[in-house]
Amino acid sequence: MRILLVGAGGVGAAFCSIAARRDFYEALVVTDYSLERAERAAAQDERFTAARVDASSADAVTALCREHRITHVMNAVDPVFDMPVFEGALAAGADYLDMAMSLSRPHPERPHELPGVKLGDEQFARATAWEEAGRLALVGIGVEPGLSDVFARYAADHLFSEIDELGTRDGANLVVRDEEGNEVFAPSFSMWTTIEECLNSPVVWEEGRWHTTAPFSEPEVFDFPEGIGPVECVNVEHEEVLLMPRWVDCRRATFKYGLGEEMITILKVLHQLGLDSTEKVRVKGVEVSPRDVVAAVLPDPATIGPRMTGKTCAGLWVTGKDKQGQPRSTYLYHVVDNEETMREYGHQCVVWQTAINPVVALELLATGAWQGTGVLGPEAFDADPFLDLLTAYGSPWGVRELAP
């Protein structure tokens, strides 16, 4: 296996640190628009080399694949670049993995009721081309989407006979402080992506169809495990809702994220001021995207680990009937402590938790434990080898039974 990693930011750099400890591949070419950043991430292993890439160009991705005899393309850039990286991999005859999906576009008249172009629609429209080429595009294989989708398959196979709701629930008690010890606003993940998913209309799967709601709708307090505790979660547009119902039978699928009052307020203000826009504006003779400016002035998520404390939890709350037909409510989860990932890997917990899952998936593809062609989500594969290997990596998952 020869891997092309597109993107050496927080998640990409963490991917390299995790992959450096595994031996299932021959080579890893680390690429980024910043050659310096790619070289920094590639310096930790002799199997790694660095190169510059323009992720907006499918031709550039194809050329790198051919130059380095790449078998698998790992996409670790913002989802705005998904389609060129996706198409570049197909043109090169390589398999493809990403941790998100192609972007959505709202319904022109009823954005808070009906979906327009949904997350992943552009990629699923190309499924036949991938099948005919005998190649695999494994989409949404980060943590959320990714591990939560693996949990959905596991729950359907082993825990439930009927599923009422697959409810992804994401929460944390992370705090970032400045040098004086004061708590500061510093998102632990790409602000560009956070704005995209939180200000778009959330999608809900219900009784055989997808519909949308208003941003931050249906707030609920969810009690997260391992000391995180109660966190208010709200509806957010996310890929799981578009993936899970394709392979797992359920009456309802939702994604709710513990954003917190401060983050919600900031996002609303950015929207009111037009600073969430990706359309370029001219400022003193220079064309810039307001959203790119917001992302650029905030701390790089890859750098905040030493000033961050707490844990992050990704998980899936499943309700329905157990294998004996009795009511069941179960939360399958994965908790990561920032102190541990900083000590063991030098990467903060949110980007590390995202990065470990595609490394596990690539190892399963390398060994043949996972096989497939076309455009597939994690639910299309057996969950057991994934969860076993995740535990073998030293990052176990958990199960909490709740009152039905």
Side-chain angles (χ1 to χ4, degrees):
M1 179 179 282
R2 299 177 63 86
I3 305 165
L4 178 73
L5 174 66
V6 183
V11 175
F15 177 98
C16 290
S17 295
I18 298 164
R21 303 188 182 192
R22 310 302 295 185
D23 61 4
F24 62 86
Y25 58 94
E26 177 186 349
L28 175 63
V29 181
V30 184
T31 69
D32 197 273
Y33 73 92
S34 165
L35 180 58
E36 179 184 0
R37 188 156 66 173
E39 289 173 337
R40 191 162 55 244
Q44 57 192 299
D45 194 287
E46 61 182 12
R47 294 169 294 172
F48 297 178
T49 56
R52 187 184 182 279
V53 69
D54 176 3
S56 68
S57 168
D59 289 342
V61 174
T62 300
L64 277 168
C65 288
R66 290 173 175 164
E67 178 185 352
H68 295 278
R69 297 179 289 115
I70 295 301
T71 61
H72 292 74
V73 174
M74 180 65 237
N75 183 354
V77 289
D78 282 329
V80 68
F81 300 111
D82 267 22
M83 289 310 295
V85 179
F86 175 86
E87 294 291 359
L90 178 60
D95 287 352
Y96 167 90
L97 297 87
D98 65 28
M99 294 172 281
M101 290 198 296
S102 57
L103 296 177
S104 65
R105 292 190 294 276
H107 190 279
E109 286 90 34
R110 299 160 65 188
H112 296 165
E113 299 175 47
L114 301 174
V117 175
K118 302 185 298 300
L119 292 169
D121 275 358
E122 289 184 80
Q123 288 172 301
F124 283 116
R126 297 283 283 144
T128 299
W130 283 83
E131 290 169 4
E132 291 176 348
R135 301 260 58 91
L136 170 66
L138 174 50
V139 297
I141 188 61
V143 61
E144 291 177 338
L147 180 56
S148 52
D149 302 80
V150 173
F151 285 151
R153 174 64 185 269
Y154 182 87
D157 286 351
H158 298 292
L159 306 181
F160 287 81
S161 60
E162 295 181 25
I163 295 176
D164 289 328
E165 180 168 349
L166 296 168
T168 307
R169 297 293 184 269
D170 183 323
N173 60 358
L174 299 170
V175 175
V176 180
R177 302 186 185 278
D178 61 20
E179 294 179 357
E180 286 73 42
N182 301 309
E183 189 172 337
V184 297
F185 179 75
S188 56
F189 202 71
S190 163
M191 190 60 184
W192 196 102
T193 303
T194 299
I195 292 171
E196 176 74 15
E197 62 190 25
C198 293
L199 290 179
N200 285 349
S201 298
V203 182
V204 173
W205 169 265
E206 201 158 25
E207 299 299 342
R209 70 179 186 92
W210 285 289
H211 68 84
T212 57
T213 70
F216 316 119
S217 58
E218 299 181 5
E220 68 178 40
V221 175
F222 189 82
D223 188 13
F224 289 91
E226 299 193 23
I228 295 174
V231 178
E232 185 179 73
C233 300
V234 294
N235 277 326
V236 169
E237 181 192 52
H238 230 253
E239 291 85 354
E240 292 91 331
V241 177
L242 285 310
L243 283 170
M244 291 177 183
R246 296 175 187 268
W247 287 279
V248 179
D249 187 24
C250 61
R251 294 183 178 86
R252 181 174 163 88
T254 57
F255 178 94
K256 292 189 179 183
Y257 189 17
L259 289 171
E261 184 178 348
E262 180 186 33
M263 174 64 89
I264 291 175
T265 299
I266 288 170
L267 289 166
K268 288 180 176 178
V269 171
L270 289 174
H271 180 63
Q272 289 171 348
L273 296 177
L275 294 174
D276 60 323
S277 174
T278 59
E279 298 296 323
K280 290 186 177 181
V281 297
R282 182 169 290 275
V283 181
K284 296 183 179 179
V286 179
E287 287 194 341
V288 294
S289 157
R291 190 187 300 186
D292 288 344
V293 173
V294 171
V297 299
L298 287 170
D300 182 347
T303 67
I304 64 174
R307 298 183 286 124
M308 188 160 72
T309 58
K311 299 177 181 179
T312 184
C313 178
L316 182 70
W317 182 15
V318 189
T319 58
K321 294 181 179 179
D322 65 16
K323 293 298 186 181
Q324 288 71 47
Q326 298 302 308
R328 182 170 190 170
S329 177
T330 304
Y331 184 60
L332 300 95
Y333 65 90
H334 185 245
V335 171
V336 180
D337 190 321
N338 188 69
E339 181 181 351
E340 293 179 3
T341 60
M342 287 299 300
R343 182 179 64 248
E344 293 293 323
Y345 288 87
H347 296 283
Q348 53 103 328
C349 59
V350 176
V351 298
W352 186 92
Q353 187 185 40
T354 304
I356 190 173
N357 297 287
V359 182
V360 171
L362 281 163
E363 184 159 349
L364 293 176
L365 293 172
T367 63
W370 277 12
Q371 300 180 48
T373 59
V375 179
L376 302 177
E379 302 88 344
F381 301 90
D382 185 1
D384 290 56
F386 188 100
L387 296 173
D388 290 345
L389 190 54
L390 179 67
T391 301
Y393 271 50
S395 192
W397 54 287
V399 177
R400 173 185 277 185
E401 295 298 333
L402 307 175

